Amino acid sequence: MPNLMVIIGSTRPGRAGLPIGQWFADFAGKHSGFDVQVADLAEIDLPLLADPHHPRLKKYVHQHTWDWSAKVESADAFVIVTPEYNYGYPAAVKNALDHLSQEWAYAPVGFVSYGGIAAGTRAVQQLKQVVTTLRMLPVFESVNIPFHAPQIADGVFTPSTATEDAATAMLDELVKVEAGVHGLRAGVRA
């Protein structure tokens, strides 16, 4: 089965991204379209662009970058779980994307976003500009969670039926797109 990496983008203490990301990873695992792994950017803790060479050269000097590169290369598709901060996405997400270049190419990507009334959708619109520059393929379907805080209790996110339906639709689309681009993605791996 293809490998789906769920990237938890928020690194703030007490973040909603952790329970939302854990819920989505569990949900994706039950979907049966992917083997699922989680990349929690708070745990990975990448420094801010510490390698001296442009990522497209893949001449990394730090082990943390080589480790991140290997993780990303092992995935066939991605889902980025992101909040919306001031109409944008967290710096940790941008840093994780910018650490690498060719490792992202031809991978389908979906988004689980959360926030207030806009449900993180403005952050996703900005992220789509970034991921397409990395030659990733954002899928149309997404999971957008407005006013998420009441759905989290004791560190557990409880989704609505609409949220689960959106997650199923996005995972179904990721499966289709991954199958279509699998050969392209395989061609860029080390």
Side-chain angles (χ1 to χ4, degrees), residues 53-121:
H53 306 290
H54 192 286
R56 78 178 181 284
L57 301 174
K58 207 171 179 181
K59 292 171 54 177
Y60 309 131
V61 298
H62 296 291
Q63 188 59 47
H64 59 77
T65 308
W66 282 112
D67 293 345
W68 181 231
S69 173
K71 264 182 119 48
V72 170
E73 277 189 341
S74 73
D76 298 298
F78 298 88
V79 168
I80 299 173
V81 179
T82 186
E84 182 176 309
Y85 294 161
N86 303 315
Y87 281 55
Y89 52 90
V93 172
K94 181 73 163 114
N95 186 48
L97 291 167
D98 288 349
H99 253 75
L100 308 175
S101 179
Q102 56 191 293
E103 292 91 338
W104 301 109
Y106 306 115
V109 59
F111 300 93
V112 174
S113 65
Y114 57 95
I117 195 163
T121 56

Short mmCIF file of all heavy atoms in Angstrom, two decimals, residues 53-121:
data_model
loop_
_atom_site.label_atom_id
_atom_site.label_comp_id
_atom_site.label_asym_id
_atom_site.label_seq_id
_atom_site.Cartn_x
_atom_site.Cartn_y
_atom_site.Cartn_z
N HIS A 53 23.48 25.25 1.71
CA HIS A 53 23.25 25.11 0.26
C HIS A 53 21.76 25.11 -0.05
O HIS A 53 20.94 24.70 0.77
CB HIS A 53 23.88 23.81 -0.25
CG HIS A 53 25.32 23.68 0.09
ND1 HIS A 53 26.31 24.44 -0.47
CD2 HIS A 53 25.95 22.87 0.98
CE1 HIS A 53 27.47 24.12 0.03
NE2 HIS A 53 27.28 23.16 0.93
N HIS A 54 21.43 25.55 -1.26
CA HIS A 54 20.03 25.53 -1.68
C HIS A 54 19.53 24.09 -1.65
O HIS A 54 20.23 23.17 -2.07
CB HIS A 54 19.88 26.11 -3.08
CG HIS A 54 18.47 26.40 -3.44
ND1 HIS A 54 17.56 25.39 -3.75
CD2 HIS A 54 17.78 27.56 -3.54
CE1 HIS A 54 16.39 25.92 -4.01
NE2 HIS A 54 16.49 27.24 -3.89
N PRO A 55 18.32 23.86 -1.15
CA PRO A 55 17.80 22.49 -1.04
C PRO A 55 17.75 21.73 -2.37
O PRO A 55 17.82 20.51 -2.38
CB PRO A 55 16.39 22.67 -0.46
CG PRO A 55 16.41 24.00 0.19
CD PRO A 55 17.40 24.83 -0.56
N ARG A 56 17.61 22.43 -3.49
CA ARG A 56 17.53 21.72 -4.77
C ARG A 56 18.81 20.95 -5.08
O ARG A 56 18.80 20.01 -5.86
CB ARG A 56 17.18 22.68 -5.90
CG ARG A 56 18.33 23.53 -6.40
CD ARG A 56 17.92 24.42 -7.57
NE ARG A 56 19.03 25.20 -8.03
CZ ARG A 56 19.53 26.27 -7.44
NH1 ARG A 56 18.99 26.71 -6.32
NH2 ARG A 56 20.55 26.91 -7.94
N LEU A 57 19.94 21.35 -4.44
CA LEU A 57 21.22 20.67 -4.66
C LEU A 57 21.33 19.37 -3.86
O LEU A 57 22.17 18.54 -4.16
CB LEU A 57 22.38 21.60 -4.30
CG LEU A 57 22.43 22.91 -5.08
CD1 LEU A 57 23.53 23.81 -4.53
CD2 LEU A 57 22.62 22.65 -6.56
N LYS A 58 20.53 19.25 -2.84
CA LYS A 58 20.53 18.08 -1.94
C LYS A 58 21.93 17.81 -1.40
O LYS A 58 22.36 16.67 -1.28
CB LYS A 58 19.96 16.86 -2.66
CG LYS A 58 19.32 15.87 -1.72
CD LYS A 58 18.57 14.79 -2.47
CE LYS A 58 17.98 13.84 -1.47
NZ LYS A 58 17.26 12.76 -2.11
N LYS A 59 22.63 18.89 -1.04
CA LYS A 59 23.95 18.78 -0.41
C LYS A 59 23.82 19.20 1.04
O LYS A 59 24.37 20.20 1.48
CB LYS A 59 24.95 19.68 -1.15
CG LYS A 59 25.28 19.22 -2.56
CD LYS A 59 26.10 20.23 -3.36
CE LYS A 59 27.35 20.64 -2.65
NZ LYS A 59 28.18 21.57 -3.44
N TYR A 60 23.08 18.40 1.79
CA TYR A 60 22.80 18.73 3.17
C TYR A 60 24.02 18.47 4.04
O TYR A 60 24.77 17.53 3.81
CB TYR A 60 21.61 17.92 3.69
CG TYR A 60 20.39 17.98 2.79
CD1 TYR A 60 19.73 16.82 2.41
CD2 TYR A 60 19.91 19.19 2.32
CE1 TYR A 60 18.61 16.87 1.59
CE2 TYR A 60 18.79 19.25 1.50
CZ TYR A 60 18.16 18.08 1.14
OH TYR A 60 17.05 18.14 0.32
N VAL A 61 24.20 19.32 5.04
CA VAL A 61 25.33 19.14 5.95
C VAL A 61 24.89 18.74 7.35
O VAL A 61 25.72 18.35 8.16
CB VAL A 61 26.22 20.42 6.02
CG1 VAL A 61 26.82 20.73 4.65
CG2 VAL A 61 25.44 21.61 6.54
N HIS A 62 23.60 18.82 7.62
CA HIS A 62 23.10 18.51 8.96
C HIS A 62 22.30 17.21 8.94
O HIS A 62 21.50 16.97 8.03
CB HIS A 62 22.22 19.63 9.50
CG HIS A 62 22.96 20.91 9.69
ND1 HIS A 62 23.92 21.07 10.66
CD2 HIS A 62 22.91 22.08 9.01
CE1 HIS A 62 24.41 22.30 10.59
NE2 HIS A 62 23.82 22.93 9.59
N GLN A 63 22.49 16.40 9.96
CA GLN A 63 21.80 15.12 10.03
C GLN A 63 20.28 15.30 10.12
O GLN A 63 19.54 14.52 9.54
CB GLN A 63 22.30 14.30 11.24
CG GLN A 63 21.77 12.88 11.26
CD GLN A 63 22.14 12.08 10.02
OE1 GLN A 63 23.28 12.07 9.60
NE2 GLN A 63 21.15 11.41 9.43
N HIS A 64 19.82 16.36 10.80
CA HIS A 64 18.38 16.56 10.90
C HIS A 64 17.76 16.76 9.52
O HIS A 64 16.63 16.33 9.27
CB HIS A 64 18.01 17.71 11.84
CG HIS A 64 18.60 19.02 11.45
ND1 HIS A 64 18.10 19.81 10.44
CD2 HIS A 64 19.66 19.70 11.95
CE1 HIS A 64 18.82 20.91 10.33
NE2 HIS A 64 19.78 20.87 11.24
N THR A 65 18.49 17.38 8.60
CA THR A 65 17.97 17.58 7.26
C THR A 65 17.96 16.26 6.49
O THR A 65 16.99 15.94 5.79
CB THR A 65 18.77 18.64 6.50
OG1 THR A 65 18.84 19.83 7.29
CG2 THR A 65 18.12 18.98 5.17
N TRP A 66 19.02 15.47 6.63
CA TRP A 66 19.05 14.15 5.98
C TRP A 66 17.92 13.27 6.53
O TRP A 66 17.28 12.55 5.77
CB TRP A 66 20.40 13.46 6.19
CG TRP A 66 21.47 13.98 5.28
CD1 TRP A 66 22.56 14.70 5.63
CD2 TRP A 66 21.52 13.83 3.86
NE1 TRP A 66 23.31 15.01 4.51
CE2 TRP A 66 22.69 14.49 3.41
CE3 TRP A 66 20.69 13.22 2.91
CZ2 TRP A 66 23.06 14.54 2.06
CZ3 TRP A 66 21.06 13.27 1.56
CH2 TRP A 66 22.22 13.92 1.16
N ASP A 67 17.66 13.34 7.83
CA ASP A 67 16.59 12.55 8.42
C ASP A 67 15.22 12.98 7.88
O ASP A 67 14.38 12.15 7.55
CB ASP A 67 16.60 12.68 9.95
CG ASP A 67 17.83 12.05 10.59
OD1 ASP A 67 18.54 11.26 9.93
OD2 ASP A 67 18.08 12.37 11.78
N TRP A 68 15.01 14.29 7.79
CA TRP A 68 13.76 14.82 7.26
C TRP A 68 13.61 14.43 5.79
O TRP A 68 12.54 14.02 5.33
CB TRP A 68 13.70 16.32 7.47
CG TRP A 68 12.45 17.01 6.99
CD1 TRP A 68 12.40 18.12 6.19
CD2 TRP A 68 11.09 16.69 7.31
NE1 TRP A 68 11.10 18.48 5.98
CE2 TRP A 68 10.28 17.63 6.65
CE3 TRP A 68 10.51 15.70 8.07
CZ2 TRP A 68 8.88 17.60 6.74
CZ3 TRP A 68 9.12 15.66 8.16
CH2 TRP A 68 8.32 16.61 7.49
N SER A 69 14.69 14.52 5.04
CA SER A 69 14.68 14.12 3.63
C SER A 69 14.25 12.67 3.47
O SER A 69 13.41 12.34 2.62
CB SER A 69 16.08 14.34 3.03
OG SER A 69 16.16 13.82 1.71
N ALA A 70 14.82 11.79 4.27
CA ALA A 70 14.49 10.36 4.18
C ALA A 70 13.01 10.12 4.52
O ALA A 70 12.34 9.32 3.87
CB ALA A 70 15.39 9.54 5.10
N LYS A 71 12.51 10.82 5.53
CA LYS A 71 11.09 10.68 5.92
C LYS A 71 10.18 11.09 4.77
O LYS A 71 9.23 10.39 4.42
CB LYS A 71 10.78 11.55 7.14
CG LYS A 71 10.85 10.88 8.47
CD LYS A 71 10.46 11.87 9.56
CE LYS A 71 9.27 11.51 10.35
NZ LYS A 71 9.17 10.19 10.88
N VAL A 72 10.48 12.24 4.19
CA VAL A 72 9.64 12.77 3.11
C VAL A 72 9.73 11.87 1.89
O VAL A 72 8.71 11.56 1.26
CB VAL A 72 10.01 14.23 2.80
CG1 VAL A 72 9.34 14.72 1.53
CG2 VAL A 72 9.64 15.12 3.98
N GLU A 73 10.91 11.42 1.54
CA GLU A 73 11.06 10.53 0.38
C GLU A 73 10.31 9.22 0.56
O GLU A 73 9.91 8.60 -0.41
CB GLU A 73 12.53 10.26 0.09
CG GLU A 73 13.18 11.35 -0.72
CD GLU A 73 14.57 10.99 -1.20
OE1 GLU A 73 15.21 10.07 -0.65
OE2 GLU A 73 15.02 11.64 -2.16
N SER A 74 10.12 8.79 1.80
CA SER A 74 9.45 7.51 2.04
C SER A 74 7.93 7.60 1.83
O SER A 74 7.26 6.58 1.76
CB SER A 74 9.74 7.01 3.46
OG SER A 74 9.03 7.77 4.42
N ALA A 75 7.40 8.79 1.73
CA ALA A 75 5.95 8.98 1.59
C ALA A 75 5.54 9.07 0.13
O ALA A 75 6.28 9.59 -0.71
CB ALA A 75 5.52 10.23 2.34
N ASP A 76 4.34 8.57 -0.13
CA ASP A 76 3.77 8.64 -1.48
C ASP A 76 2.76 9.78 -1.60
O ASP A 76 2.45 10.23 -2.70
CB ASP A 76 3.06 7.32 -1.81
CG ASP A 76 4.03 6.16 -1.81
OD1 ASP A 76 4.96 6.16 -2.64
OD2 ASP A 76 3.88 5.25 -0.97
N ALA A 77 2.22 10.22 -0.48
CA ALA A 77 1.23 11.30 -0.44
C ALA A 77 1.32 11.97 0.93
O ALA A 77 1.87 11.39 1.87
CB ALA A 77 -0.17 10.75 -0.68
N PHE A 78 0.77 13.17 1.01
CA PHE A 78 0.85 13.96 2.23
C PHE A 78 -0.49 14.58 2.57
O PHE A 78 -1.28 14.90 1.68
CB PHE A 78 1.88 15.09 2.08
CG PHE A 78 3.27 14.61 1.82
CD1 PHE A 78 3.71 14.37 0.53
CD2 PHE A 78 4.13 14.37 2.87
CE1 PHE A 78 4.98 13.90 0.29
CE2 PHE A 78 5.41 13.89 2.65
CZ PHE A 78 5.84 13.66 1.35
N VAL A 79 -0.71 14.78 3.86
CA VAL A 79 -1.79 15.63 4.35
C VAL A 79 -1.16 16.57 5.36
O VAL A 79 -0.47 16.12 6.29
CB VAL A 79 -2.94 14.82 4.99
CG1 VAL A 79 -3.89 15.75 5.74
CG2 VAL A 79 -3.69 14.04 3.93
N ILE A 80 -1.35 17.85 5.15
CA ILE A 80 -0.83 18.86 6.07
C ILE A 80 -1.99 19.33 6.95
O ILE A 80 -3.01 19.80 6.44
CB ILE A 80 -0.19 20.04 5.33
CG1 ILE A 80 0.99 19.54 4.48
CG2 ILE A 80 0.26 21.12 6.31
CD1 ILE A 80 1.59 20.60 3.57
N VAL A 81 -1.82 19.17 8.26
CA VAL A 81 -2.81 19.62 9.24
C VAL A 81 -2.34 20.99 9.72
O VAL A 81 -1.27 21.11 10.33
CB VAL A 81 -2.92 18.62 10.41
CG1 VAL A 81 -3.92 19.12 11.44
CG2 VAL A 81 -3.28 17.23 9.91
N THR A 82 -3.12 22.02 9.44
CA THR A 82 -2.64 23.37 9.72
C THR A 82 -3.72 24.27 10.32
O THR A 82 -4.87 24.24 9.91
CB THR A 82 -2.09 24.04 8.44
OG1 THR A 82 -1.51 25.31 8.78
CG2 THR A 82 -3.16 24.23 7.38
N PRO A 83 -3.32 25.09 11.28
CA PRO A 83 -4.20 26.15 11.74
C PRO A 83 -4.05 27.36 10.81
O PRO A 83 -3.22 27.35 9.90
CB PRO A 83 -3.64 26.49 13.13
CG PRO A 83 -2.18 26.23 12.99
CD PRO A 83 -2.06 25.05 12.05
N GLU A 84 -4.86 28.35 11.07
CA GLU A 84 -4.70 29.63 10.38
C GLU A 84 -4.27 30.66 11.40
O GLU A 84 -4.94 30.88 12.40
CB GLU A 84 -6.02 30.04 9.73
CG GLU A 84 -5.92 31.34 8.97
CD GLU A 84 -7.22 31.68 8.25
OE1 GLU A 84 -7.74 30.82 7.53
OE2 GLU A 84 -7.69 32.82 8.44
N TYR A 85 -3.11 31.25 11.16
CA TYR A 85 -2.58 32.31 12.02
C TYR A 85 -2.58 33.61 11.23
O TYR A 85 -1.85 33.73 10.24
CB TYR A 85 -1.14 32.01 12.45
CG TYR A 85 -0.93 30.80 13.33
CD1 TYR A 85 0.34 30.24 13.44
CD2 TYR A 85 -1.95 30.23 14.07
CE1 TYR A 85 0.57 29.14 14.26
CE2 TYR A 85 -1.73 29.14 14.89
CZ TYR A 85 -0.46 28.60 14.98
OH TYR A 85 -0.24 27.51 15.78
N ASN A 86 -3.41 34.55 11.63
CA ASN A 86 -3.41 35.87 10.97
C ASN A 86 -3.52 35.77 9.46
O ASN A 86 -2.74 36.34 8.72
CB ASN A 86 -2.16 36.66 11.37
CG ASN A 86 -2.05 36.83 12.86
OD1 ASN A 86 -3.04 37.14 13.52
ND2 ASN A 86 -0.88 36.57 13.42
N TYR A 87 -4.47 34.98 8.99
CA TYR A 87 -4.76 34.75 7.57
C TYR A 87 -3.68 33.91 6.87
O TYR A 87 -3.68 33.80 5.66
CB TYR A 87 -4.93 36.06 6.80
CG TYR A 87 -6.27 36.73 6.96
CD1 TYR A 87 -6.77 37.03 8.21
CD2 TYR A 87 -7.03 37.06 5.85
CE1 TYR A 87 -7.99 37.66 8.36
CE2 TYR A 87 -8.26 37.69 5.99
CZ TYR A 87 -8.73 37.98 7.25
OH TYR A 87 -9.94 38.60 7.39
N GLY A 88 -2.76 33.33 7.61
CA GLY A 88 -1.70 32.52 7.00
C GLY A 88 -1.50 31.23 7.76
O GLY A 88 -2.27 30.86 8.64
N TYR A 89 -0.43 30.53 7.39
CA TYR A 89 -0.11 29.25 8.00
C TYR A 89 1.12 29.40 8.89
O TYR A 89 1.85 30.40 8.79
CB TYR A 89 0.12 28.18 6.92
CG TYR A 89 1.12 28.60 5.87
CD1 TYR A 89 2.47 28.33 6.02
CD2 TYR A 89 0.71 29.27 4.72
CE1 TYR A 89 3.39 28.72 5.08
CE2 TYR A 89 1.63 29.67 3.77
CZ TYR A 89 2.97 29.39 3.95
OH TYR A 89 3.87 29.80 3.02
N PRO A 90 1.40 28.44 9.76
CA PRO A 90 2.51 28.56 10.71
C PRO A 90 3.88 28.54 10.02
O PRO A 90 4.09 27.85 9.01
CB PRO A 90 2.37 27.34 11.61
CG PRO A 90 1.03 26.79 11.36
CD PRO A 90 0.61 27.23 10.00
N ALA A 91 4.81 29.25 10.61
CA ALA A 91 6.19 29.28 10.10
C ALA A 91 6.81 27.89 10.09
O ALA A 91 7.62 27.57 9.20
CB ALA A 91 7.04 30.23 10.94
N ALA A 92 6.44 27.04 11.04
CA ALA A 92 7.00 25.69 11.08
C ALA A 92 6.66 24.89 9.83
O ALA A 92 7.47 24.09 9.36
CB ALA A 92 6.51 24.95 12.33
N VAL A 93 5.48 25.11 9.27
CA VAL A 93 5.09 24.42 8.04
C VAL A 93 5.95 24.91 6.88
O VAL A 93 6.49 24.12 6.10
CB VAL A 93 3.59 24.61 7.74
CG1 VAL A 93 3.23 24.05 6.37
CG2 VAL A 93 2.74 23.97 8.83
N LYS A 94 6.09 26.21 6.76
CA LYS A 94 6.92 26.77 5.68
C LYS A 94 8.35 26.30 5.80
O LYS A 94 8.99 25.91 4.81
CB LYS A 94 6.85 28.30 5.73
CG LYS A 94 7.65 29.01 4.65
CD LYS A 94 6.99 28.89 3.30
CE LYS A 94 7.54 29.92 2.33
NZ LYS A 94 8.28 29.32 1.22
N ASN A 95 8.89 26.29 7.01
CA ASN A 95 10.26 25.84 7.24
C ASN A 95 10.42 24.37 6.86
O ASN A 95 11.41 23.99 6.22
CB ASN A 95 10.64 26.07 8.70
CG ASN A 95 12.08 25.78 8.99
OD1 ASN A 95 12.98 26.22 8.28
ND2 ASN A 95 12.31 25.01 10.04
N ALA A 96 9.46 23.53 7.22
CA ALA A 96 9.54 22.11 6.89
C ALA A 96 9.50 21.90 5.37
O ALA A 96 10.25 21.07 4.83
CB ALA A 96 8.40 21.35 7.55
N LEU A 97 8.66 22.65 4.69
CA LEU A 97 8.61 22.55 3.23
C LEU A 97 9.89 23.07 2.60
O LEU A 97 10.47 22.44 1.70
CB LEU A 97 7.40 23.33 2.70
CG LEU A 97 6.03 22.74 3.01
CD1 LEU A 97 4.92 23.74 2.71
CD2 LEU A 97 5.81 21.43 2.28
N ASP A 98 10.38 24.22 3.07
CA ASP A 98 11.55 24.85 2.46
C ASP A 98 12.87 24.13 2.75
O ASP A 98 13.86 24.36 2.06
CB ASP A 98 11.68 26.30 2.93
CG ASP A 98 10.63 27.20 2.32
OD1 ASP A 98 9.94 26.77 1.37
OD2 ASP A 98 10.50 28.35 2.79
N HIS A 99 12.89 23.27 3.75
CA HIS A 99 14.10 22.51 4.05
C HIS A 99 14.52 21.61 2.89
O HIS A 99 15.70 21.27 2.77
CB HIS A 99 13.90 21.65 5.30
CG HIS A 99 14.62 22.15 6.50
ND1 HIS A 99 14.18 23.24 7.22
CD2 HIS A 99 15.74 21.73 7.11
CE1 HIS A 99 15.01 23.45 8.22
NE2 HIS A 99 15.97 22.55 8.18
N LEU A 100 13.54 21.22 2.08
CA LEU A 100 13.78 20.26 1.00
C LEU A 100 13.29 20.83 -0.31
O LEU A 100 12.64 21.86 -0.34
CB LEU A 100 13.04 18.95 1.31
CG LEU A 100 13.29 18.34 2.69
CD1 LEU A 100 12.41 17.12 2.88
CD2 LEU A 100 14.76 17.98 2.88
N SER A 101 13.56 20.13 -1.38
CA SER A 101 13.06 20.56 -2.67
C SER A 101 12.55 19.37 -3.46
O SER A 101 11.37 19.08 -3.47
CB SER A 101 14.16 21.30 -3.45
OG SER A 101 13.69 21.70 -4.71
N GLN A 102 13.44 18.63 -4.09
CA GLN A 102 13.02 17.55 -4.99
C GLN A 102 12.29 16.41 -4.29
O GLN A 102 11.53 15.68 -4.92
CB GLN A 102 14.21 17.02 -5.77
CG GLN A 102 15.35 16.54 -4.90
CD GLN A 102 16.61 16.28 -5.71
OE1 GLN A 102 16.62 15.37 -6.51
NE2 GLN A 102 17.63 17.07 -5.51
N GLU A 103 12.48 16.27 -2.99
CA GLU A 103 11.82 15.19 -2.25
C GLU A 103 10.29 15.30 -2.28
O GLU A 103 9.59 14.30 -2.11
CB GLU A 103 12.28 15.18 -0.79
CG GLU A 103 13.72 14.79 -0.59
CD GLU A 103 14.68 15.99 -0.59
OE1 GLU A 103 14.33 17.06 -1.15
OE2 GLU A 103 15.78 15.85 -0.04
N TRP A 104 9.76 16.49 -2.49
CA TRP A 104 8.32 16.71 -2.50
C TRP A 104 7.68 16.44 -3.87
O TRP A 104 6.47 16.29 -3.96
CB TRP A 104 7.99 18.15 -2.12
CG TRP A 104 8.47 18.60 -0.79
CD1 TRP A 104 9.50 19.48 -0.53
CD2 TRP A 104 7.95 18.21 0.49
NE1 TRP A 104 9.63 19.65 0.83
CE2 TRP A 104 8.70 18.90 1.48
CE3 TRP A 104 6.92 17.37 0.90
CZ2 TRP A 104 8.44 18.76 2.84
CZ3 TRP A 104 6.67 17.23 2.26
CH2 TRP A 104 7.43 17.92 3.21
N ALA A 105 8.46 16.39 -4.92
CA ALA A 105 7.95 16.40 -6.29
C ALA A 105 6.98 15.27 -6.58
O ALA A 105 7.20 14.13 -6.21
CB ALA A 105 9.11 16.38 -7.27
N TYR A 106 5.91 15.65 -7.27
CA TYR A 106 4.89 14.74 -7.80
C TYR A 106 4.12 13.99 -6.72
O TYR A 106 3.52 12.95 -7.00
CB TYR A 106 5.48 13.78 -8.82
CG TYR A 106 6.21 14.52 -9.92
CD1 TYR A 106 7.58 14.37 -10.09
CD2 TYR A 106 5.53 15.41 -10.75
CE1 TYR A 106 8.25 15.08 -11.06
CE2 TYR A 106 6.19 16.12 -11.72
CZ TYR A 106 7.55 15.96 -11.88
OH TYR A 106 8.21 16.67 -12.85
N ALA A 107 4.12 14.50 -5.51
CA ALA A 107 3.33 13.87 -4.45
C ALA A 107 1.99 14.59 -4.32
O ALA A 107 1.95 15.82 -4.26
CB ALA A 107 4.08 13.94 -3.12
N PRO A 108 0.91 13.85 -4.28
CA PRO A 108 -0.37 14.49 -3.99
C PRO A 108 -0.41 14.96 -2.54
O PRO A 108 0.22 14.33 -1.67
CB PRO A 108 -1.39 13.38 -4.25
CG PRO A 108 -0.64 12.11 -4.25
CD PRO A 108 0.79 12.42 -4.53
N VAL A 109 -1.11 16.05 -2.32
CA VAL A 109 -1.19 16.61 -0.97
C VAL A 109 -2.61 17.09 -0.71
O VAL A 109 -3.25 17.69 -1.58
CB VAL A 109 -0.15 17.75 -0.77
CG1 VAL A 109 -0.35 18.89 -1.75
CG2 VAL A 109 -0.17 18.26 0.67
N GLY A 110 -3.09 16.77 0.48
CA GLY A 110 -4.38 17.27 0.94
C GLY A 110 -4.18 18.10 2.19
O GLY A 110 -3.08 18.11 2.77
N PHE A 111 -5.23 18.78 2.61
CA PHE A 111 -5.12 19.68 3.75
C PHE A 111 -6.27 19.47 4.73
O PHE A 111 -7.43 19.37 4.33
CB PHE A 111 -5.13 21.14 3.29
CG PHE A 111 -4.01 21.47 2.37
CD1 PHE A 111 -4.18 21.40 0.99
CD2 PHE A 111 -2.77 21.82 2.86
CE1 PHE A 111 -3.14 21.68 0.13
CE2 PHE A 111 -1.71 22.11 2.01
CZ PHE A 111 -1.89 22.04 0.63
N VAL A 112 -5.92 19.42 6.01
CA VAL A 112 -6.88 19.49 7.09
C VAL A 112 -6.60 20.82 7.78
O VAL A 112 -5.51 21.03 8.31
CB VAL A 112 -6.71 18.32 8.10
CG1 VAL A 112 -7.63 18.52 9.30
CG2 VAL A 112 -6.97 16.98 7.42
N SER A 113 -7.55 21.73 7.72
CA SER A 113 -7.34 23.04 8.32
C SER A 113 -8.41 23.33 9.36
O SER A 113 -9.50 22.77 9.32
CB SER A 113 -7.35 24.13 7.24
OG SER A 113 -8.62 24.22 6.62
N TYR A 114 -8.03 24.19 10.28
CA TYR A 114 -8.96 24.53 11.35
C TYR A 114 -8.72 25.97 11.78
O TYR A 114 -7.65 26.54 11.57
CB TYR A 114 -8.80 23.58 12.54
CG TYR A 114 -7.41 23.51 13.12
CD1 TYR A 114 -7.03 24.29 14.21
CD2 TYR A 114 -6.45 22.67 12.57
CE1 TYR A 114 -5.76 24.23 14.74
CE2 TYR A 114 -5.17 22.59 13.09
CZ TYR A 114 -4.82 23.37 14.17
OH TYR A 114 -3.55 23.32 14.68
N GLY A 115 -9.76 26.56 12.35
CA GLY A 115 -9.66 27.94 12.80
C GLY A 115 -11.03 28.45 13.20
O GLY A 115 -11.88 27.68 13.64
N GLY A 116 -11.24 29.73 12.99
CA GLY A 116 -12.52 30.35 13.32
C GLY A 116 -13.51 30.13 12.21
O GLY A 116 -13.62 29.04 11.65
N ILE A 117 -14.20 31.19 11.85
CA ILE A 117 -15.26 31.06 10.84
C ILE A 117 -14.72 30.61 9.48
O ILE A 117 -15.39 29.91 8.74
CB ILE A 117 -16.07 32.36 10.72
CG1 ILE A 117 -17.37 32.10 9.96
CG2 ILE A 117 -15.24 33.48 10.08
CD1 ILE A 117 -18.41 33.18 10.13
N ALA A 118 -13.51 30.98 9.15
CA ALA A 118 -12.92 30.60 7.86
C ALA A 118 -12.34 29.19 7.87
O ALA A 118 -11.93 28.68 6.83
CB ALA A 118 -11.84 31.60 7.45
N ALA A 119 -12.26 28.56 9.01
CA ALA A 119 -11.84 27.15 9.14
C ALA A 119 -10.44 26.88 8.60
O ALA A 119 -10.13 25.77 8.19
CB ALA A 119 -12.87 26.23 8.48
N GLY A 120 -9.59 27.91 8.58
CA GLY A 120 -8.23 27.71 8.11
C GLY A 120 -8.07 27.74 6.60
O GLY A 120 -6.98 27.50 6.08
N THR A 121 -9.13 28.05 5.88
CA THR A 121 -9.07 27.98 4.41
C THR A 121 -8.13 29.02 3.80
O THR A 121 -7.57 28.79 2.73
CB THR A 121 -10.47 28.12 3.79
OG1 THR A 121 -11.06 29.34 4.25
CG2 THR A 121 -11.35 26.94 4.19
#
